Amino acid sequence: MCFTYTIEPPANSLRLTGEKDGIIEIGAKNGILYLNGSLDWETKKVHRLQVEALNEKGERVKGPFSITINVEDINDNPPVFSQSKYYGEVRQNSRPGKVFMHVTATDRDDPTTPNAQLLYSILHHFPSPYEEILFQIDNKTGAISPSMAGNKYLDPEKQADFLLVVTVKDLAGMSGNAFTSNADVAITVLENLWKAPLPVFIMENSTEQHPLSITKVGSRNHKKPARFPFIIDQNGTIYATEPLDREEKDSYVFDAFAKDNYGEALARPLKISVTVGDMNDNPPVCKRALTIFEVQENEIVGNYIGTLHASDMDQKDTLNSRLQFRIVDQTPKIPIDNLFIVQKETGQFQLSSSSLNRRVASNYSVKVEVSDGVFATLCDVWINVIDINDQIPIFEKSDYGSLVIPEDTQVGKILLAIQANDADEPFTGSSRIIYQIEGDQNETFRIETDFRTNRGYFKINKILDYETSPVYSLTILAKNPEPLVSGIQYNSSSIAYVQIHITDVNEAPVFFKDTYIVDVFENVTVGTFVTSVKAYDPEGAQIRYMLISNSRNWLRVDSYTGDIYTTAPFDREIEKAYIVQVVATEQSKESRSSTAQLILHLKDVNDNPPSLVKNSIFFCYPLSGGEKIEIEATDPDEHRLYPKFIFSLGGGETIQNDWIVHGFGVRRAHFSPKHPNLQKMQYSIPLKISDNGNPPLQGNVNLQVNICECTEDKTCFVPLDPDTSRPTVAMAVGILVGVLLVIGKWHSEMTQPDCNLC
């Protein structure tokens, strides 16, 4: 936002007061009203200010003048659902479109604009057993109802629960820039209580008392209905009708009504909340039927082995669900009993003795009692004693020789299979082998291990380059993920060697940059040096350069050096960014080439004079005095802050005496007659319009001014030329021929026989 106020003597500065909120300011000397921050419609919709003119002593000489700034809303707030998750129930066979629940969202933007116009839709539907969606949503109100398919297929015996993901968009969902929010909707399908009865049989001439009950419409489901375990008597006492189960339902909320003998409510219903207290009536449950741990036979005493997990359905974080663990049995009890301990509160297992020996016992079965203070459950734990890592990997061969491969071999290709073996227990960390490569600082190669066989596959990991590294002399180490036991070390048996020779392949030239970006003024002279692009050929061949996509032929490139020069004047108003492709081609039999991009950002200079947006206006005759019309100027050039135009009259003394132009703002001026004595005719008024560029440019334009008689709606009345209001001879002949053709066609249609009667 930017407005300019004119300072006229004796004033020499301006002062702004009112609801500035630290955002709206005015230049005391230049009169520019500006923002130094962002306005926010949601915070304040209208700012009321006053501006006053001050003299050199700071005394007010004019004003205050009122300023009202109305803030226009932009779409900067996403819609928000009233709940993150909604719950609803719908009856089986509900009619299509019968609303059973609503979702609601709000948007803080201006409700009178599209910014806050919301559109609802169903994004996902879980599960989705049919091709057709079972629910629908009113895109304006958020009302959810069964669809035609839902009326047909919803059945609680087949699928009782559904989850919808509902989306709401602002901007009425009509823009890709709309904000979006989602919410989950959980829907439970209930049985249809309105069902046709079974066929009815009635004996004729019945002598029983009438009216006679013959059947009942409604549910034929003879299952026990969902129970409601509370009743209320006439005194208002509420009773529980049966024992409650917290694990089945931990709370109830219901309403109590007071009604008179006619069923009319005597007061508002009272909301009753019942919380079911927990008692310890559930035993602990082991998470797994069998929990398995591994421990090395040389494991240090006290080391963590694993955690036994169990749970309790009683209320969480209470004594009823507090679990305590205790080992009650270890099998076998060799070499000693109580080899393991379990943390009483956490179920964590630790080693209590250094007596493990895999040759004596390779596994143990441990029974653990898990108790909640009332109930106890036995959980089974199986502990495998694994071999210690006292054997090193040994390569089948220590030298894998030399390999010769071209530099364009694909990344990921297997070059070699290597094999080492380990005598420790199979399929443990002690026998698993990991291969490492030494002498490959850039990780050009990698080895992947098949842990079923410990075979290693030597692969290319990065693009090869003969010019950078033609030969690799590599050392391969075979190690275990488990540390070796004390006193055992890797030796030469765990080392192998391989040499890789890379052969040269002719490659395309390589640019030092993929994209060259240059800023240049649009008025540089033809032949000006712009930049230099450089490429090299990996094989050392000479390179030649050329330009493609040089659509305006503004540039040329020196084919030998890559220097780029201008060949024609630039025009930023046509192209702000001029993009060309530079091709580098090697001088060889293959003539391989590559391409880089040059982006030329043209910087503006003031090379376009201002002009009028509209070059014709009119005044109604006769003039009454005081008329004025707003005219506006434009300029395609860029200006550092904003364009400001100065308007003045051209022409001789007559024009100066008859017309006046007075600029206001930065782009506009008022144009008006100086007196009411001007004749009814067309005038061509020369105007001078100067911009604030550096250096400034002046545009000389002619404003066409028509002083004319006006209609009631204040537009120029243009009388018809009498000579053009009558038809010419040629027009009369044309009309006559057209009439004759219509008559002839009508007669022909009337005389055609009816083929169905022939």
Side-chain angles (χ1 to χ4, degrees):
M1 181 190 80
C2 184
F3 296 95
T4 303
Y5 291 86
T6 303
I7 303 174
E8 298 177 348
N12 73 339
S13 65
L14 299 177
R15 179 169 62 195
L16 186 69
T17 58
E19 299 171 345
K20 299 190 294 181
D21 294 347
I23 300 173
I24 307 170
E25 299 291 346
I26 194 168
K29 297 298 184 181
N30 59 20
I32 298 176
L33 186 69
Y34 62 93
L35 299 177
N36 60 13
S38 299
L39 300 176
D40 186 6
W41 182 90
E42 288 76 25
T43 303
K44 197 176 189 66
K45 299 174 178 60
V46 179
H47 293 260
R48 294 176 175 84
L49 310 161
Q50 299 82 38
V51 63
E52 50 192 1
L54 309 177
N55 60 18
E56 292 182 354
K57 297 180 180 180
E59 299 170 339
R60 184 175 68 203
V61 294
K62 288 186 179 180
F65 302 102
S66 296
I67 303 172
T68 301
I69 298 176
N70 295 308
V71 182
E72 291 186 2
D73 182 47
I74 63 171
N75 190 28
D76 58 350
N77 289 283
V80 177
F81 278 101
S82 60
Q83 301 173 213
S84 61
K85 190 169 185 177
Y86 295 82
Y87 297 88
E89 295 179 341
V90 60
R91 289 283 177 189
Q92 176 188 12
N93 300 131
S94 293
R95 63 176 174 81
K98 184 178 186 302
V99 175
F100 63 88
M101 68 178 299
H102 286 78
V103 295
T104 306
T106 56
D107 193 304
R108 293 181 60 221
D109 290 316
D110 188 351
T112 64
T113 69
N115 298 339
Q117 292 181 14
L118 305 183
L119 182 113
Y120 299 90
S121 62
I122 296 175
L123 180 64
H124 294 303
H125 181 299
F126 303 111
S128 185
Y130 305 100
E131 292 183 1
E132 303 165 90
I133 193 167
L134 302 181
F135 301 94
Q136 58 192 9
I137 188 169
D138 187 304
N139 59 15
K140 292 184 179 179
T141 66
I144 299 177
S145 60
S147 64
M148 293 290 291
N151 167 258
K152 181 178 179 181
Y153 296 121
L154 285 176
D155 185 345
E157 293 187 358
K158 294 181 178 178
Q159 180 68 45
D161 297 302
F162 291 89
L163 182 73
L164 307 183
V165 179
V166 175
T167 293
V168 62
K169 295 182 178 181
D170 57 19
L171 294 176
M174 301 299 290
S175 172
N177 297 325
F179 288 113
T180 301
S181 296
N182 297 326
D184 289 350
V185 180
I187 299 175
T188 300
V189 182
L190 305 178
E191 182 191 13
N192 180 20
L193 298 180
W194 187 248
K195 294 184 178 180
L198 296 171
V200 178
F201 178 81
I202 304 177
M203 291 292 295
E204 65 176 335
N205 301 321
S206 172
T207 59
E208 296 185 50
Q209 184 176 355
H210 289 73
L212 176 67
S213 173
I214 59 171
T215 188
K216 182 179 180 181
V217 296
S219 174
R220 298 201 307 270
N221 185 0
H222 300 297
K223 297 178 182 177
K224 182 180 179 181
R227 66 182 187 272
F228 183 71
F230 302 100
I231 59 173
I232 188 169
D233 64 15
Q234 294 301 311
N235 296 322
T237 303
I238 299 174
Y239 302 88
T241 61
E242 59 185 64
L244 304 180
D245 186 351
R246 190 201 69 87
E247 286 70 43
E248 181 179 318
K249 189 173 179 64
D250 61 3
S251 65
Y252 297 82
V253 178
F254 53 89
D255 292 331
F257 295 85
K259 296 182 179 181
D260 60 19
N261 294 333
Y262 301 100
E264 296 294 329
L266 296 175
R268 290 181 300 173
L270 300 177
K271 188 172 292 296
I272 310 298
S273 297
V274 177
T275 300
V276 183
D278 184 47
M279 64 177 296
N280 196 351
D281 57 349
N282 289 280
V285 176
C286 309
K287 184 176 181 180
R288 296 183 179 89
L290 180 65
T291 299
I292 300 176
F293 299 142
E294 285 187 349
V295 57
Q296 279 197 344
E297 59 181 335
N298 66 336
E299 196 79 44
I300 298 174
V301 172
N303 274 10
Y304 168 78
I305 299 173
T307 300
L308 173 63
H309 294 283
S311 60
D312 192 304
M313 287 183 62
D314 290 317
Q315 188 171 354
K316 186 179 179 182
D317 299 325
T318 67
L319 291 176
N320 295 336
S321 60
R322 178 192 182 188
L323 302 183
Q324 294 183 320
F325 300 81
R326 181 174 69 89
I327 295 175
V328 296
D329 185 60
Q330 170 194 307
T331 303
K333 295 178 173 57
I334 55 175
I336 61 172
D337 198 1
N338 301 320
L339 283 169
F340 310 99
I341 58 175
V342 63
Q343 292 293 329
K344 184 177 181 180
E345 298 292 337
T346 65
Q348 291 184 346
F349 267 69
Q350 293 171 286
L351 188 64
S352 65
S353 170
S354 59
S355 302
L356 290 177
N357 188 327
R358 188 175 180 279
R359 296 174 183 84
V360 175
S362 61
N363 50 66
Y364 292 87
S365 174
V366 179
K367 290 192 177 296
V368 179
E369 179 190 82
V370 184
S371 171
D372 64 5
V374 175
F375 299 96
T377 301
L378 289 180
C379 295
D380 292 320
V381 178
W382 186 267
I383 302 176
N384 291 317
V385 181
I386 60 176
D387 186 27
I388 60 174
N389 192 9
D390 58 357
Q391 301 292 322
I392 64 171
I394 299 175
F395 274 103
E396 290 184 349
K397 53 191 294 189
S398 61
D399 191 345
Y400 284 89
S402 298
L403 301 178
V404 179
I405 57 174
E407 65 177 327
D408 61 352
T409 304
Q410 186 177 2
V411 171
K413 182 177 176 59
I414 298 175
L415 304 180
L416 180 69
I418 59 177
Q419 182 71 59
N421 299 301
D422 192 302
D424 287 312
E425 183 180 359
F427 309 113
T428 67
S430 299
S431 63
R432 182 178 296 177
I433 297 176
I434 297 174
Y435 297 98
Q436 300 174 353
I437 302 174
E438 290 187 350
D440 182 20
Q441 291 80 5
N442 294 325
E443 298 182 354
T444 308
F445 305 96
R446 71 178 189 271
I447 300 176
E448 295 180 359
T449 304
D450 181 349
F451 292 117
R452 296 172 301 173
T453 62
N454 277 334
R455 182 175 293 272
Y457 296 95
F458 193 96
K459 295 183 177 182
I460 299 175
N461 190 47
K462 295 181 180 178
I463 296 174
L464 303 176
D465 186 2
Y466 168 82
E467 287 73 24
T468 303
S469 299
V471 178
Y472 295 86
S473 296
L474 305 175
T475 301
I476 304 173
L477 308 179
K479 294 185 176 182
N480 303 127
E482 287 289 339
L484 295 171
V485 298
S486 178
I488 304 296
Q489 295 181 346
Y490 295 105
N491 57 38
S492 59
S493 299
S494 301
I495 300 174
Y497 304 92
V498 65
Q499 195 168 69
I500 311 292
H501 293 268
I502 311 299
T503 59
D504 189 27
V505 174
N506 190 17
E507 300 169 275
V510 179
F511 279 95
F512 287 98
K513 296 181 183 177
D514 293 330
T515 302
Y516 293 80
I517 300 175
V518 180
D519 292 342
V520 62
F521 283 104
E522 64 175 324
N523 65 340
V524 296
T525 58
V526 174
T528 298
F529 172 77
V530 175
T531 190
S532 183
V533 297
K534 296 295 181 185
Y536 68 92
D537 183 69
E539 287 73 42
Q542 292 186 347
I543 292 176
R544 297 291 181 267
Y545 301 92
M546 65 178 292
L547 298 181
I548 59 174
S549 303
N550 187 17
S551 58
R552 299 193 182 278
N553 294 317
W554 284 353
L555 301 172
R556 71 173 179 85
V557 63
D558 186 308
S559 61
Y560 290 91
T561 65
D563 294 340
I564 296 177
Y565 302 87
T566 64
T567 59
F570 295 146
D571 189 345
R572 183 192 160 280
E573 284 67 44
I574 296 177
E575 297 263 12
K576 293 183 180 179
Y578 188 55
I579 302 174
V580 297
Q581 309 295 323
V582 186
V583 179
T585 305
E586 65 181 16
Q587 302 302 293
S588 65
K589 291 182 180 180
E590 290 85 355
S591 297
R592 302 189 68 176
S593 63
S594 57
T595 303
Q597 187 177 64
L598 170 62
I599 302 176
L600 204 62
H601 291 295
L602 299 181
K603 299 167 68 176
D604 188 49
V605 296
N606 194 24
D607 58 351
N608 291 277
S611 60
L612 288 172
V613 174
K614 182 179 179 183
N615 60 5
S616 64
I617 61 175
F618 71 89
F619 294 96
C620 291
Y621 181 85
L623 299 173
S624 59
E627 295 94 339
K628 62 181 178 181
I629 292 180
E630 183 180 301
I631 59 176
E632 183 179 358
T634 185
D635 186 334
D637 289 319
E638 263 187 3
H639 293 269
R640 186 171 62 88
L641 294 175
Y642 53 86
K644 181 174 177 62
F645 301 122
I646 300 173
F647 296 82
S648 61
L649 289 172
E653 185 176 348
T654 301
I655 291 177
Q656 301 293 331
N657 292 335
D658 291 345
W659 307 95
I660 186 171
V661 63
H662 177 70
F664 73 93
V666 294
R667 293 179 176 269
R668 296 175 175 84
H670 283 136
F671 183 84
S672 57
K674 271 190 174 180
H675 56 80
N677 302 324
L678 295 173
Q679 298 301 310
K680 180 174 60 175
M681 61 178 290
Q682 183 85 23
Y683 296 86
S684 182
I685 310 301
L687 294 178
K688 299 176 183 179
I689 310 174
S690 300
D691 62 22
N692 61 340
N694 185 19
L697 284 182
Q698 176 179 290
N700 297 310
V701 299
N702 285 316
L703 177 64
Q704 303 302 316
V705 182
N706 188 12
I707 298 182
C708 57
E709 292 184 359
C710 291
T711 62
E712 291 182 358
D713 58 357
K714 298 300 182 182
T715 60
C716 260
F717 173 71
V718 181
L720 289 174
D721 187 342
D723 293 335
T724 61
S725 62
R726 300 176 183 176
T728 63
V729 173
M731 292 169 61
V733 171
I735 294 170
L736 179 59
V737 170
V739 172
L740 291 174
L741 286 173
V742 172
I743 293 172
K745 185 174 185 295
W746 173 77
H747 182 268
S748 173
E749 291 174 350
M750 292 296 293
T751 56
Q752 288 290 326
D754 189 338
C755 293
N756 292 328
L757 301 177
C758 291

